Amino acid sequence: MLRIFAVLATLLCSLSSTGWTAPPDARELKVVPVAHQGRFRPMDASARLWLHDLYSKQRLKGSDADIAALPNRDAITLAWQVHLRGHEPYDDMPLFFLGSAKVKEALNLNTKTSRFTLNELLEGFDNFRAGWLEILVRHHYIEAYHAHANRSAATRLELTSLVPGLWVAMRDNKLVIQRTPNVWPWQDIPKGTVVGEGVHGRIAERNRQRPEVESLTTLLQQIDAYTVLEDIEASEKSLMDLSESLQIQGNSRADIAQIIEQTSPLKSRLQTAGVDFRMLPDRHNPSRWYSLRALQLLQYNPTLHLWQPIKNFTAFSDLTFETAQRHYIALSDGSGTDANMRGLVAALEGGYNELRASHAIPSLPSQQQLHAEVFYYKFPWGMLAAAIYFLALIACVLSTSLKLQWITTTSIALTAVAFIFHTGILALRMYVLQRPPVANMFETVLYVPWVAVAIALVARIWQRTPWALMAACFQACTLLILLELTQLHSGLEPVQPVLNSQFWLTIHVLMVVASYGVFILSGIMGHLYLLGRALGWQLPYSEIARGILNTLYIGVALLIPGTLLGGVWAAESWGRFWDWDPKESWAFISSCVYLGWIHAYTFRKIGDLGLAIGSIVGLWAISFTWYGVNYILGTGLHSYGFGSGGEHYYYLFLAGEFLFVATCTLASGRRKLV
């Protein structure tokens, strides 16, 4: 033992004698606010989202962290190292997630692997350039041409959804590139390149290729954002060389300053300094934030004919700026310590407190909101809630079969605990975002089962029927697990401009999306009814049918008024009440389906079995209203919810549902539907 201590002491002495120190811990920055994807959020959340967009996980695998020689697997550590050192040291690290098998085949990548290095992807794109160029440009041109914003049906369009600065035009039924941006890989494409013919007649082909095109587009944009950081030292040295050359040519110092500003304007240099760690608000426009890398910029002093560290360009005080600049430069040149990191954090937080006190940026989150967002990303809350719902589901099933009071009480208690937990997740998102949590597909999938469980708990206590509670636990467990499996983007994102109305977002969207949860609840009970009848289970079918009918009443009472209120919002936003937009049309179809079945049951044209079948048929309609319009059709003014993927699974779901209904109906016996 003494020998071990002696070895350790010797090792520590040798390290201290060589000046070795542990690298500063980037996790000190985790609560510092940063401008990222349209809103201010803590740096820890920003880094997690950045890594998830690239890597499809919020933390690195241990083996990948070892490749990068990182001290830990946290996203903020990798983001900080890339920020300081550039991407080159990590070009052989499998950092880019790619799920599309077709895209992997096109890029000649290993189809059994999901993550690839930057070098592998660049080589794949070089080999595939002729193929993907035509597909991408053609797809995005059709999207832009048919977009609502192109009311004049212009044929010369900028494809900003693909890359800003890419202009294409239709000439003699040929799609021709007119201008390209000076970024990879577009800068090498010559003007006048023809990338497609007969484009307007290929809408069906565009829809078939949508998943692959969106995957390629995302990958290109990720690579561009990852590699966009320019070498500040090299760019500053070129400006210094320019000033020396101008002096040799006999230009005055004032002329030198003017030429430098014309050649490379300071504002442009600030904006191109970096797209990550944007923690520095502009002095004249506090809504514009610059990267910390801008602190390394130099500024020409014509009086002394010297290049000096850039002066304060931020909304912070001069003392705060100079302190942050001193600590950051020490960290960026490799001489920084933990003290420098803490000093940088203290300076930045002091500057933000100044901004909060002056109300210069109303949207800047409070310190409590920043901590709440860090806490939100700390644990897999959705899966924890799903686990509790699963236990509650087992207890519900046992309570209906064993008829024991303590199991019944346990089922209600577990559901209540899961519901409180679920409510906390939604409340946390609402507190951070200051809006209702129904602005994207992830949030609606999170909100829909919450509504179902709330109604089922009320029904369990009021009517003492366990079937709705069982169905609600099944729904919540299934949808929350589906969120994890599909890897829907779970970020706390700002609301899109079309939804930027707290009043209508609360009144219209909450009502309509709540109806989805109620209709799914009725559909699950309809499945239970049909399955029980087909298998001859001894169940209280009249009680289940009453639960189906009551949930249909509630769903229709939410869907129809919510849809009509959406028309009022549409008249206010788009200048028309109704235009048979796909989302509007399918909301109308779903309403008609449910109303038809309710009326048929009310006037005794069908019985309980027919009502159960109707709840399932209605579920098919509402599922297309919710998922199909956004992910399969992908057209219309309700573009804020569009996505791609999962179509084949949805078709299998519909085929399986039809087979289930047909089989159970035939097996259930002699009862007539009409």
Side-chain angles (χ1 to χ4, degrees):
M1 183 64 70
L2 291 175
R3 183 176 297 177
I4 293 175
F5 283 132
V7 171
L8 289 175
T10 304
L11 178 62
L12 289 173
C13 290
S14 64
L15 289 174
S16 61
S17 65
T18 57
W20 180 89
T21 56
D25 192 348
R27 290 175 293 187
E28 295 279 351
L29 290 161
K30 67 180 181 180
V31 189
V32 177
V34 60
H36 180 83
Q37 294 182 354
R39 60 176 287 263
F40 303 111
R41 61 189 89 207
M43 187 59 227
D44 181 71
S46 173
R48 286 174 180 268
L49 294 175
W50 167 79
L51 184 60
H52 186 273
D53 287 343
L54 295 179
Y55 192 72
S56 192
K57 287 184 179 296
Q58 294 183 7
R59 294 192 77 201
L60 291 169
K61 292 182 178 180
S63 57
D64 293 337
D66 292 339
I67 292 174
L70 296 172
N72 56 66
R73 298 188 296 140
D74 291 340
I76 194 170
T77 300
L78 175 63
W80 180 249
Q81 292 300 318
V82 172
H83 172 80
L84 291 182
R85 303 174 61 191
H87 65 85
E88 289 84 1
Y90 310 101
D91 285 355
D92 290 318
M93 175 184 175
L95 191 59
F96 293 86
F97 177 85
L98 181 58
S100 173
K102 291 185 178 179
V103 173
K104 285 188 277 191
E105 290 176 0
L107 297 177
N108 198 27
L109 300 172
N110 185 355
T111 57
K112 296 181 180 180
T113 303
S114 296
R115 292 182 176 86
F116 302 92
T117 69
L118 178 64
N119 288 330
E120 288 174 330
L121 293 176
L122 293 179
E123 182 180 352
F125 273 112
D126 286 340
N127 295 333
F128 183 50
R129 176 170 299 188
W132 62 256
L133 171 64
E134 180 176 343
I135 295 171
L136 284 177
V137 175
R138 186 169 64 228
H139 177 94
H140 284 276
Y141 179 83
I142 296 174
E143 291 279 350
Y145 182 82
H146 291 281
H148 181 69
N150 188 28
R151 297 178 180 177
S152 62
T155 57
R156 183 178 183 271
L157 299 168
E158 182 184 12
L159 306 186
T160 54
S161 60
L162 181 56
V163 57
L166 177 61
W167 286 86
V168 296
M170 183 65 66
R171 291 180 177 176
D172 300 326
N173 205 31
K174 294 181 179 180
L175 194 59
V176 181
I177 290 181
Q178 293 195 325
R179 186 186 304 169
T180 59
N182 189 31
V183 296
W184 178 90
W186 307 99
Q187 75 272 17
D188 297 329
I189 300 173
K191 179 181 177 181
T193 301
V194 177
V195 291
E197 299 185 18
V199 172
H200 293 300
R202 297 188 175 185
I203 303 297
E205 177 185 331
R206 178 201 63 173
N207 290 334
R208 286 195 305 271
Q209 295 175 337
R210 181 186 297 275
E212 290 76 27
V213 167
E214 291 186 353
S215 180
L216 272 172
T217 302
T218 300
L219 191 59
L220 277 174
Q221 292 170 346
Q222 289 173 345
I223 292 174
D224 181 56
Y226 182 71
T227 58
V228 73
L229 294 178
E230 63 178 55
D231 188 343
I232 286 184
E233 292 185 4
S235 62
E236 296 299 279
K237 186 177 184 305
S238 66
L239 289 177
M240 295 170 69
D241 292 342
L242 175 63
S243 65
E244 292 300 323
S245 174
L246 291 172
Q247 185 184 36
I248 293 173
Q249 295 173 13
N251 290 279
S252 67
R253 295 179 180 181
D255 289 341
I256 293 174
Q258 184 177 3
I259 293 172
I260 289 173
E261 180 63 20
Q262 291 174 347
T263 303
S264 185
L266 180 60
K267 183 174 291 187
S268 174
R269 291 164 61 202
L270 289 171
Q271 292 175 344
T272 58
V275 295
D276 59 346
F277 286 83
R278 290 189 296 160
M279 298 177 170
L280 305 172
D282 185 88
R283 167 170 289 179
H284 304 292
N285 183 9
S287 62
R288 179 186 294 124
W289 287 36
Y290 302 116
S291 171
L292 286 177
R293 287 165 58 88
L295 295 173
Q296 295 177 284
L297 294 176
L298 300 176
Q299 201 167 9
Y300 178 70
N301 185 335
T303 303
L304 301 176
H305 185 59
L306 289 175
W307 285 88
Q308 298 175 325
I310 190 170
K311 299 297 182 181
N312 187 7
F313 56 87
T314 71
F316 299 154
S317 66
D318 289 345
L319 178 60
T320 298
F321 175 85
E322 291 167 5
T323 303
Q325 186 179 46
R326 183 176 68 256
H327 289 299
Y328 178 79
I329 290 176
L331 291 167
S332 62
D333 65 17
S335 64
T337 64
D338 282 334
N340 292 115
M341 180 63 78
R342 289 192 293 270
L344 174 63
V345 171
L348 292 174
E349 289 183 341
Y352 301 135
N353 289 333
E354 296 170 6
L355 293 177
R356 291 191 189 100
S358 64
H359 303 287
I361 307 177
S363 59
L364 194 65
S366 66
Q367 199 69 22
Q368 292 76 17
Q369 286 174 305
L370 293 171
H371 280 282
E373 189 164 355
V374 171
F375 181 69
Y376 176 84
Y377 284 106
K378 197 170 184 179
F379 300 103
W381 302 111
M383 289 305 295
L384 293 175
I388 305 174
Y389 276 125
F390 181 71
L391 294 176
L393 175 61
I394 293 175
C396 287
V397 173
L398 292 176
S399 70
T400 58
S401 57
L402 300 180
K403 308 294 184 183
L404 296 176
Q405 182 58 42
W406 71 271
I407 297 181
T408 300
T409 304
T410 301
S411 68
I412 298 173
L414 282 173
T415 306
V417 170
F419 179 73
I420 293 171
F421 200 84
H422 198 164
T423 303
I425 299 173
L426 292 171
L428 199 57
R429 293 185 71 96
M430 291 176 65
Y431 174 68
V432 172
L433 295 171
Q434 298 291 293
R435 62 164 175 79
V438 286
N440 53 54
M441 182 59 81
F442 178 89
E443 291 181 346
T444 58
V445 176
L446 191 63
Y447 171 69
V448 159
W450 181 86
V451 174
V453 175
I455 291 174
L457 279 171
V458 172
R460 184 67 181 88
I461 297 170
W462 182 31
Q463 296 185 337
R464 298 189 178 278
T465 175
W467 308 107
L469 194 65
M470 183 191 302
C473 288
F474 178 81
Q475 175 184 342
C477 185
T478 302
L479 289 181
L480 291 176
I481 291 175
L482 198 63
L483 275 181
E484 181 69 21
L485 294 177
T486 56
Q487 292 290 299
L488 278 177
H489 186 65
S490 61
L492 294 157
E493 302 305 331
V495 66
Q496 297 195 33
V498 70
L499 294 175
N500 195 15
S501 170
Q502 290 281 11
F503 175 78
W504 287 114
L505 191 63
T506 304
I507 299 299
H508 164 60
V509 183
L510 277 182
M511 287 182 68
V512 172
V513 176
S515 73
Y516 299 167
V518 183
F519 286 136
I520 294 173
L521 187 61
S522 69
I524 294 173
M525 287 192 288
H527 282 77
L528 177 63
Y529 186 101
L530 285 184
L531 188 61
R533 286 286 299 270
L535 298 178
W537 293 347
Q538 297 300 315
L539 300 175
Y541 293 105
S542 60
E543 183 179 323
I544 297 174
R546 186 167 63 250
I548 293 173
L549 184 62
N550 289 335
T551 50
L552 290 182
Y553 283 151
I554 297 171
V556 168
L558 289 169
L559 178 61
I560 294 179
T563 302
L564 294 175
L565 288 170
V568 178
W569 189 10
E572 180 183 300
S573 299
W574 298 325
R576 92 289 185 280
F577 178 82
W578 195 270
D579 197 31
W580 295 107
D581 179 82
K583 182 69 78 173
E584 297 168 349
S585 301
W586 274 95
F588 174 76
I589 292 169
S590 298
S591 300
C592 290
V593 169
Y594 282 114
L595 285 175
W597 242 274
I598 289 173
H599 278 76
Y601 183 79
T602 302
F603 291 102
R604 301 183 184 281
K605 301 298 182 181
I606 58 174
D608 291 348
L609 180 63
L611 182 67
I613 294 174
S615 69
I616 297 174
V617 173
L619 177 60
W620 302 346
I622 209 70
S623 69
F624 197 86
T625 304
W626 186 18
Y627 167 82
V629 172
N630 289 0
Y631 279 72
I632 296 177
L633 297 183
T635 59
L637 295 177
H638 293 75
S639 58
Y640 50 84
F642 288 176
S644 64
E647 297 97 318
H648 300 302
Y649 295 107
Y650 182 70
Y651 297 144
L652 287 174
F653 161 75
L654 291 180
E657 283 284 281
F658 183 81
L659 184 62
F660 173 84
V661 171
T663 303
C664 289
T665 303
L666 292 174
S668 63
R670 296 168 295 280
R671 183 173 302 193
K672 295 183 178 180
L673 296 179
V674 182

